[in-house]
Amino acid sequence: MTQASTLTIDAQPGPFTFAPAKTALIIIDMQRDFIEPGGFGESLGNDVSLLAEIVPSVAALLALAREQGWLVVHTRESHAPDLSDCPPAKRLRGAPNARIGDAGPMGRILIRGEPGNAIIEALEPMAGELVIDKPGKGAFYATRLGEELAMRGITHLIFAGVTTEVCVQTSMREANDRGFDSLLVEDATASYFPAFKQATLEMLRSQGGIVGWTAPLVSLMTLQGTHEHGS
Ligand code: TIU
């Protein structure tokens, strides 16, 4: 298969140009803990239905990435069962119904290997895709993500997932400081707070793209079926 060396899509604050062979889709934390009732998101007092609404868009984006041959990376916010990678400041913050590590209806909250920590069924990772367990909000902090991307010569990142202003924004800012060009897919990300999502989209692309680009899914879907098949 041969591919166009670069592609350009409509985005804000301007066109986003990327080389498919050097691009990764990063799907942030589409795990049951955040999307389904009974997990970490709900324990913090949030209405999780707002997040479930984006599942079809993220699934369409994931299918496009697979068709186009982009590297696919799934992240999960998660901690070791002994909580050795969970700072007390994170566990003790606020007054949730259940804290990280406590038993919930989907197993221990935000703990690696528990049912609630799994990526939702509609977005299940395939063989060959990377799954990165991250103890922080950012996908680069205390993970092997930076090395995995460097090893593959990845320069451009397309972001989706939850929540827009917490783990997605933190990861995109970490990526920016590491020299990646990043684009956030507007309707493939969600927040428990719609106003925070909107503010995040605007701040990321402000000042000429101070953190990166944003685009609706339809901008990317124009690529569907466009890659060239050759020898
Ligand atoms: N609470 C919230 O909005 N988000 C998180 O705790 N983690 C992620 O964003 N994944």
Side-chain angles (χ1 to χ4, degrees):
M1 186 176 84
T2 56
Q3 289 188 320
S5 56
T6 62
L7 299 169
T8 298
I9 59 158
D10 287 337
Q12 291 189 64
F16 182 70
T17 298
F18 60 101
K22 296 182 177 179
T23 298
L25 171 65
I26 313 270
I27 302 180
I28 301 288
D29 300 356
M30 290 296 287
Q31 59 202 64
R32 299 180 68 201
D33 291 306
F34 294 109
I35 313 288
E36 295 183 14
F40 185 57
E42 195 175 73
S43 82
L44 295 171
N46 298 308
D47 170 6
V48 296
S49 64
L50 278 171
L51 271 55
E53 282 174 14
I54 64 162
V55 172
S57 302
V58 182
L61 180 62
L62 176 58
L64 179 72
R66 287 170 175 164
E67 180 211 88
Q68 297 279 316
W70 306 339
L71 176 68
V72 175
V73 181
H74 305 260
T75 70
R76 296 184 291 220
E77 184 173 345
S78 67
H79 293 283
D82 65 0
L83 296 175
S84 55
D85 58 1
C86 182
K90 180 176 183 182
R91 184 172 140 77
L92 300 176
R93 186 88 44 84
N97 301 330
R99 294 189 189 279
I100 296 168
D102 290 350
M106 294 191 289
R108 293 178 67 202
I109 303 275
L110 230 56
I111 298 298
R112 231 161 274 153
E114 297 288 336
N117 207 224
I119 307 269
I120 59 167
E121 210 176 324
L123 303 172
E124 204 176 342
M126 278 176 37
E129 296 176 351
L130 295 179
V131 179
I132 300 285
D133 284 308
K134 60 195 239 323
K137 302 305 184 191
F140 289 84
Y141 169 70
T143 73
R144 65 182 201 283
L145 179 61
E147 289 80 0
E148 296 279 5
L149 298 177
M151 202 186 300
R152 293 168 174 80
I154 300 293
T155 56
H156 287 63
L157 304 177
I158 295 176
F159 278 95
V162 297
T163 62
T164 317
E165 81 281 12
V166 183
C167 291
V168 175
Q169 173 164 218
T170 302
S171 300
M172 207 163 149
R173 288 177 181 277
E174 285 184 326
N176 192 39
D177 284 348
R178 286 165 175 76
F180 293 94
D181 280 329
S182 299
L183 173 120
L184 176 56
V185 183
E186 295 160 9
D187 35 357
T189 184
S191 168
Y192 298 118
F193 307 92
F196 288 173
K197 170 179 170 175
Q198 194 52 37
T200 301
L201 294 175
E202 287 171 19
M203 71 176 80
L204 292 174
R205 67 191 177 213
S206 69
Q207 305 182 66
I210 194 76
V211 179
W213 286 256
T214 78
L217 179 62
V218 68
S219 281
L220 282 146
M221 293 313 284
T222 59
L223 304 173
Q224 202 169 24
T226 58
H227 67 273
E228 302 159 27
H229 289 277
S231 53

